[in-house]
Amino acid sequence: MNRKGAIASVKAVSNVLLAAFSVVSIFPILWVLYSSLKNQQEFSVNILSLPSSLHFDNYVKAFWDGELYRYLGNSAFVSVISVGLTILIGFVTGYFLSRFSFKGRNVLYAMFLFGMLVPVYGLLVPLFIEYRNLHLLDHRLFLVLPEVTFALPLVIFLIESFIRSVPIEMEEAAYVDGANLASTLFRIVFPMCRPVLSTCMIISFLNVWNEFPFALVLINSQDLKTIPVGLTNFVGQYTINYPQLMAGINVSIVPVIVVYLCLYKRIIQGMVAGAVKG
């Protein structure tokens, strides 16, 4: 076989493998989508078959009878506050770590990086004991604290790397014009960091929206559960209503898709910005 034939064969095999990978990746999404339109009997008979009729009432029952609306509100509350605090604290911290040299700066930076290596499940028990002793359990607002804490290390790392690539001359010009530190920080630097801030917002929102262990351990009240924990209500002791569960899953991913579609163009731009300076 000549060289051109070998290249053509490799390309053909690659195309087949890519098509197979695409089918394997897309099928679970389609399966959850059309399975949510079945009734319980159809799903029990054949979990892979298409629905004989469309049962949109699964979405109505999941939203109202399953109190999905309440869980969506709780998740939105926790996510908005957590993402807002994470971006604010991460931006200020990342700026000072990138622009100022002070004693203990490297140690502090290393501690933030080490925070990305701490496993969530390793802190569940001590955090639960601490919350119980401080009477902070079953409070929706205090669920924000661990969410922000675990999101900050990566956010600080991304923002600090990005700000290093921002020319400091613009800040110096602002100081010459009479701007103070706060004005320069939020009127000059903050708008220039929109690519990396968008990336941090998406990552933080996805982590908080899908977070399960903290919401499970620190929240006991049925009215305060977030969407990942609330979906477990569709699982009974002896039976599971799979069509309604999948309808709830489809509803829960809508906010994630909306946020991603609004900001996805800035993900790669924010992740690679600051990697090469010059």
Side-chain angles (χ1 to χ4, degrees), residues 71-86 139-148 204-205 208-209 211 215 219 224-226:
Y71 307 138
L72 288 171
N74 293 333
S75 290
F77 176 85
V78 175
S79 298
V80 170
I81 296 180
S82 298
V83 172
L85 289 176
T86 300
H139 289 280
R140 187 172 57 177
L141 186 60
F142 293 112
L143 184 60
V144 171
L145 299 179
E147 306 285 8
V148 174
S204 301
F205 178 79
V208 176
W209 187 265
E211 195 280 322
I219 298 295
L224 299 179
K225 289 183 177 180
T226 58

Side-chain angles (χ1 to χ4, degrees), residues 35-156:
S35 295
S36 67
L37 300 175
K38 292 183 177 181
N39 57 32
Q40 184 68 10
Q41 182 179 0
E42 282 184 315
F43 188 89
S44 300
V45 172
N46 190 341
I47 63 174
L48 296 179
S49 64
L50 294 173
S52 58
S53 59
L54 303 181
H55 295 270
F56 290 100
D57 57 311
N58 289 331
Y59 287 87
V60 177
K61 292 179 180 179
F63 195 80
W64 294 111
D65 297 344
E67 296 187 333
L68 204 63
Y69 66 93
R70 192 188 307 277
Y71 307 138
L72 288 171
N74 293 333
S75 290
F77 176 85
V78 175
S79 298
V80 170
I81 296 180
S82 298
V83 172
L85 289 176
T86 300
I87 296 300
L88 178 61
I89 299 173
F91 172 70
V92 175
T93 305
Y95 175 81
F96 279 94
L97 287 175
S98 63
R99 288 294 193 240
F100 296 93
S101 297
F102 51 89
K103 187 176 181 179
R105 183 263 179 200
N106 293 334
V107 175
L108 181 62
Y109 186 66
M111 290 178 62
F112 280 119
L113 293 183
F114 179 75
M116 291 189 288
L117 305 178
V118 178
V120 174
Y121 295 97
L123 297 179
L124 281 178
V125 174
L127 187 63
F128 171 79
I129 296 174
E130 183 178 357
Y131 266 54
R132 184 186 60 184
N133 294 337
L134 296 175
H135 304 287
L136 300 180
L137 289 175
D138 215 23
H139 289 280
R140 187 172 57 177
L141 186 60
F142 293 112
L143 184 60
V144 171
L145 299 179
E147 306 285 8
V148 174
T149 301
F150 275 89
L152 274 177
L154 179 60
V155 170
I156 291 174

